Amino acid sequence: MALRPPALRAGHLRLLPVAVALVVAAAGLLGAQAQAAEEDSDPLGYVIDPAALDDPATVADGAELFRVGCVSCHGPGGVGSPRGPGLTGAGAASAHFYLTTGRMPHTGASDEQAIRKPPAHSPEEIEALVAYVASLGEGQAIPHVDLAEGNLQEGGDLFRGECAACHSATGAGGALSFGQNAPSLDEATPVQVYEAMLVGPGQMPVFSPTAFTEEELNSIVLYVETLQNLGDPGGFSLGRVGPIPEGFVAVVVGTGGLMLVVFLIGRRRTGEAEPASQPVRPADTVGAGR
Amino acid sequence: MTSEEAVAKATPLSRRTARWLDSRLGAAGFARKALDKVFPDHWSFLLGELALWSFVILIATGVYLTFFFDASVEEIIYNGSYVPLQGVEMSRAYASALDISFDVRAGMVMRQVHHWAANVYLATTVVHLMRIFFTGAFRRPRELNWLIGVGMLIFSIVNGFVGYSLLDDQLSGTGLRIAHNIALSIPVGGTWLASLFFGGDFPGPDLIERLYVIHILLLPAVIIALLGLHLALVARQRHTQFSGPGRTERNVVGERVWPTFAAKGTAAFFLTAAVLCALGGLAQINPIWLYGPFRPAEVSAASQPDWYMGWLDGALRLWPGWEIRLFGFELPTPFYPSVLLPGITFGLLALWPFLEARITKDRDEHHLLDRPRDRPLRTAFGVSTLAFYTVLFFGGASDVLAVTFQTSVNALFQAFRIALLVLPPLAGFVTYRLCQELARRDRPGASTEAPRVAPAASDDGADNRRQIEPEDEPELDPASTAGVPRG
C-alpha cells in the first residue's frame, strides 16, 4: 500500500536554483533598503514658491484652471455645491495639501475618502490654483517648516500620544470606521504633514497652533521624517504593521518551509535497504496471528 | 610501561571513555537497546520533532537574553544608542530590551531568533497536534500523552504571551491591559483574581517581575517536565504506524534509531536552526523601538497579539455586545469570547479521546493509525474546527485587512460573523464528502490486503489476540463500508 507520494528525487536539484534566486533577491532587497536617500533640491516638499502667491497674474491663471477642473464640485467662485465643500476660507495650506498629495481632483464617489496619488497638475498649475483658493478668503497660509527647530524625542512622544491611535506608532496607517482610514505616512513630505495638522483633512482633527506650539508641530514633523528614513535594523520590515504579517511569515514561510524539509528528509528513498521490523515483545514473532 | 598501560594507549580515547562510563553506569545495555529501537518511517512523524527543536532553539536564545534583560519597572532616562528615544523616560525593562536590540553584541539577532522560534514552535506544535488528531493517534493507550500534549500547548501559548508582554513597550502593555480586563470579566471572583495576579490595579509595580519569573522559570520548568514525560511515553508505548504490508498492531516496521533515524533527527535539528536563524537574521519581528515605552493612556492602531493568540482577539472583536445580569451578577461581554470560549476550546480538546471512545464505543488498543479519509466524521469535525478558529484569527486581523485591501472594517466584521457561522459546517461537509470519495477510490487496491489483527483489551499475550471480523470492525476493512464511523 503506497502511503507515500511518488519519489521526488529530481525535486532536490530543482530546488537549488530557487534557493539561489531567493538569496540573491534577499541580498538585492537589503541593498535597496540600505541605499541612502537621494539628494533633493526641495527636501521639505514645497513644490511651489509660497512667496509668489500674491501675484495677481498667478491668481488669474488659477481662476482659469479652477473653472476648468474644480467648479463642477466646488461651485463657481468656490462657494461649494452638493458634491463638494465651499473653499472660501480654506486657505493656501489646504489647497496646497490636497493638490500636492494628488487627493484633489477627487476621482472616486463624492462620499469616498480622497486617496493619495500622483498630482494631476504641474507645479506651475498648483501654484496658480493655490493662489486662487488663497484669494477667496482668510485661511491657513502654507507653513514654514523648520526641522532644526523640532526636538526628535519630544516629537516621538507627541506622535505616539496624539497620532499613533489612528496612523499607528510606526506610521503605517490604520483603519477607521466605515471604509475610512488614516493613511500611511510613508510618502508624506514635511510640509504635507505640517499642513495636515493645520487643516485636518477628511476625518483628521485639526491640531492648530492654539493646541500645539510651532516648535511642537515641527517636532512631530521631524519624527515622521525620521520614521521614514530610519530603515529597519532587524531586516525586512514586513510592512511595519505588527504581528499579523509576522504570524503569516512564521506559519507559511517558517513552518511551511520546515514541513517541506521533514517531507524531504522523512520519506524513505527507493533502492534503500528493506525496513527493519521489530516485534513489540521479543517473544512475539513478526506478523504473528496472520 | 606496564602491559595494561600499553593496551590503554592502543585503544582510542572514545572507546576508553565509553568503557569507563559503562563500568560505572551500565549504560551500554540501555544505549544498545535505545539505538536498536525501530521507529516507523513516515515524514509526518517528524512534525513533533520540529516543535522539539524549535523549543531547544527557544531555550538557547532565551538563556542568552536573560544575561541582559532587566525585569524592573523602575523609571529611568534612556541613554542608549537609539537616537529617537534618547532622553525619554521609560522602564528599565523596556530600556534593557532596547539595549539588547542596539547595544548588546548579537542581541538583535538573538531577540529576533527567539521571537521567530516562539511563533514557529507553536505553529509546529499545532501542526503536530493536527497529525495526531487526524490519524487517531490519541486513542487508547495514548490518551495520557494526548493530555500531556494539550497541557504543553496551553502552557506554551501562555508563556508566549507572557514573553512578549515582558518588554513593557506600547504593544505589549496594550495586550496586558486586555488580559487584565479579561480577568476582571470573570463573574464573582474576577476582581479578586485580577487584583491578586496583577498586584493591585493595572499596571501594578510588581507585574513585570512576576511575569519574568513565570516566563523564564515556572512555565519553562513545567513545559520541560511535560516534554520529558511526553517523550518517555512515546518510547514506553512505542510510536504508532500506518498500516501496510507486514505492519500489524503488534510490531513496529521502520528504521532503527542508529544510524538512520538519528541522522534524520539531527538533520531536522540543524535545518530547524537554519530556518529560524534565517528568519531572525533577515526578517524584522516586533520592532519595539517603533512602539515606544508603555503609557497606559496611549494606544496604537493595528495592535494585534502574536498569531497563536489571534483567535482570542478575533473572538473579542466579533462577539456582539451582550451584557447579562444573572442572580445579581453581571456577565460582562468579554466573558463569553475570552473566558468561556477558551475554556470550551481546551476542555473539548483535552477530553476528545474520551468523547470519541464514548461515541464510537471503540475502547480497544490501537497502534495502527487511521488514514483521515477512513474516519470521515472525525476528519470533517477537525477541519470544521480549524475553519472556525481560522475565521476568528482573520476577525482579529480585520483592521489590518481593511487598510490593506481598501475596504470597510465594519463590512469585514459583518462578513466574518457570517463566515463564522457558515464556513465551519460548509468546510466540514465538503471534507466529509471528499473523505468518502477518496475512500471509495481506495477500495479495489485495498481489498487485496491481509486482514489486520488487533489485540484484545487485556493485551497480555498472543492467546488473547483475535481476528477481527469485517462486520465487527467496519473501519478496519476498507473493502466494506469504508467511511462509515462506528457507533
Side-chain angles (χ1 to χ4, degrees), chain B residues 5-264:
Chain B
E5 276 169 337
V7 170
K9 207 150 203 183
T11 325
L13 183 66
S14 56
R15 182 152 297 177
R16 269 186 288 156
T17 313
R19 274 192 198 144
W20 190 89
L21 280 172
D22 186 35
S23 63
R24 282 155 184 82
L25 300 172
F30 173 77
R32 187 168 296 130
K33 215 171 149 189
L35 294 178
D36 247 7
K37 213 170 165 61
V38 171
F39 195 87
D41 54 350
H42 191 264
W43 69 271
S44 72
F45 300 161
L46 290 168
L47 290 171
E49 219 170 276
L50 290 180
L52 172 69
W53 299 135
S54 302
F55 186 71
V56 169
I57 301 289
L58 261 180
I59 300 264
T61 49
V63 166
Y64 186 80
L65 295 175
T66 60
F67 297 154
F68 307 101
F69 184 67
D70 183 356
S72 156
V73 289
E74 189 197 338
E75 290 283 309
I76 57 156
I77 303 293
Y78 175 70
N79 205 19
S81 58
Y82 180 66
V83 177
L85 286 173
Q86 279 169 359
V88 173
E89 206 180 327
M90 60 180 65
S91 66
R92 277 196 188 280
Y94 183 59
S96 66
L98 288 175
D99 287 342
I100 288 172
S101 304
F102 294 104
D103 294 301
V104 169
R105 191 178 299 272
M108 174 77 92
V109 74
M110 285 293 184
R111 232 198 87 221
Q112 296 204 139
V113 172
H114 190 68
H115 204 135
W116 282 117
N119 277 358
V120 170
Y121 162 64
L122 273 149
T124 46
T125 301
V126 170
V127 173
H128 171 60
L129 182 145
M130 280 155 62
R131 205 281 295 166
I132 302 292
F133 179 87
F134 286 118
T135 58
F138 54 81
R139 292 173 300 174
R140 184 183 168 151
R142 295 181 180 77
E143 305 98 322
L144 264 181
N145 227 7
W146 169 268
L147 284 176
I148 291 169
V150 171
M152 281 203 291
L153 175 66
I154 296 169
F155 290 126
S156 301
I157 289 176
V158 173
N159 212 24
F161 173 72
V162 171
Y164 69 73
S165 295
L166 282 176
L167 308 186
D168 206 26
D169 59 296
Q170 188 60 45
L171 184 61
S172 75
T174 304
L176 280 174
R177 169 178 289 284
I178 294 171
H180 181 249
N181 283 325
I182 289 172
L184 283 178
S185 81
I186 299 170
V188 190
T191 319
W192 280 102
L193 252 170
S195 175
L196 205 62
F197 182 77
F198 286 84
D201 208 352
F202 181 82
D206 305 328
L207 185 56
I208 298 290
E209 281 173 45
R210 285 185 190 180
L211 293 177
Y212 192 50
V213 173
I214 290 170
H215 182 69
I216 67 162
L217 178 72
L218 185 63
L219 286 178
V222 172
I223 292 170
I224 289 171
L226 289 176
L227 183 62
L229 263 177
H230 200 65
L231 296 177
L233 275 179
V234 170
R236 170 95 185 117
Q237 297 181 324
R238 81 182 188 264
H239 201 284
T240 50
Q241 60 186 347
F242 280 107
S243 61
R247 302 175 193 199
T248 73
E249 290 279 7
R250 303 200 61 80
N251 69 0
V252 181
V253 179
E255 296 143 341
R256 294 198 190 281
V257 166
W258 192 261
T260 320
F261 187 69
K264 285 183 176 182

Side-chain angles (χ1 to χ4, degrees), chain A residues 1 153 169 178 236 246 276 278, chain B residues 38 83 86 252 254 282 410 449:
Chain A
M1 188 156 133
Q153 290 74 24
F178 300 107
F236 296 123
E246 290 165 8
Q278 203 170 43
Chain B
V38 171
V83 177
Q86 279 169 359
V252 181
L282 293 173
N410 303 69
E449 251 178 66

Side-chain angles (χ1 to χ4, degrees), chain B residues 145-407:
Chain B
N145 227 7
W146 169 268
L147 284 176
I148 291 169
V150 171
M152 281 203 291
L153 175 66
I154 296 169
F155 290 126
S156 301
I157 289 176
V158 173
N159 212 24
F161 173 72
V162 171
Y164 69 73
S165 295
L166 282 176
L167 308 186
D168 206 26
D169 59 296
Q170 188 60 45
L171 184 61
S172 75
T174 304
L176 280 174
R177 169 178 289 284
I178 294 171
H180 181 249
N181 283 325
I182 289 172
L184 283 178
S185 81
I186 299 170
V188 190
T191 319
W192 280 102
L193 252 170
S195 175
L196 205 62
F197 182 77
F198 286 84
D201 208 352
F202 181 82
D206 305 328
L207 185 56
I208 298 290
E209 281 173 45
R210 285 185 190 180
L211 293 177
Y212 192 50
V213 173
I214 290 170
H215 182 69
I216 67 162
L217 178 72
L218 185 63
L219 286 178
V222 172
I223 292 170
I224 289 171
L226 289 176
L227 183 62
L229 263 177
H230 200 65
L231 296 177
L233 275 179
V234 170
R236 170 95 185 117
Q237 297 181 324
R238 81 182 188 264
H239 201 284
T240 50
Q241 60 186 347
F242 280 107
S243 61
R247 302 175 193 199
T248 73
E249 290 279 7
R250 303 200 61 80
N251 69 0
V252 181
V253 179
E255 296 143 341
R256 294 198 190 281
V257 166
W258 192 261
T260 320
F261 187 69
K264 285 183 176 182
T266 313
F269 169 71
F270 282 115
L271 286 161
T272 305
V275 167
L276 293 178
C277 290
L279 281 173
L282 293 173
Q284 182 165 291
I285 188 164
N286 199 21
I288 47 163
W289 53 92
L290 294 176
Y291 302 150
F294 179 54
R295 305 254 191 273
E298 296 171 6
V299 71
S300 166
S303 289
Q304 261 89 11
D306 272 7
W307 78 267
Y308 44 87
M309 300 278 287
W311 56 280
L312 272 172
D313 189 31
L316 269 168
R317 290 176 192 222
L318 297 184
W319 190 262
W322 296 343
E323 303 254 343
I324 300 173
R325 285 190 76 81
L326 264 183
F327 310 112
F329 288 108
E330 180 87 24
L331 279 181
T333 308
F335 175 74
Y336 312 97
S338 59
V339 181
L340 202 60
L341 176 74
I344 292 173
T345 302
F346 292 116
L348 202 63
L349 191 64
L351 293 179
W352 180 263
F354 311 101
L355 290 174
E356 195 190 280
R358 180 170 282 248
I359 293 166
T360 59
K361 296 184 176 59
D362 176 3
R363 294 190 170 80
D364 292 341
E365 285 211 1
H366 293 279
H367 301 286
L368 285 176
L369 293 169
D370 292 324
R371 299 181 79 192
R373 65 187 65 175
D374 294 333
R375 292 291 195 134
L377 260 188
R378 179 207 288 147
T379 307
F381 181 79
V383 171
S384 177
T385 307
L386 284 176
F388 181 80
Y389 289 100
T390 308
V391 173
L392 281 185
F393 173 82
F394 282 109
S398 46
D399 60 327
V400 171
L401 294 174
V403 173
T404 309
F405 297 106
Q406 297 286 319
T407 182

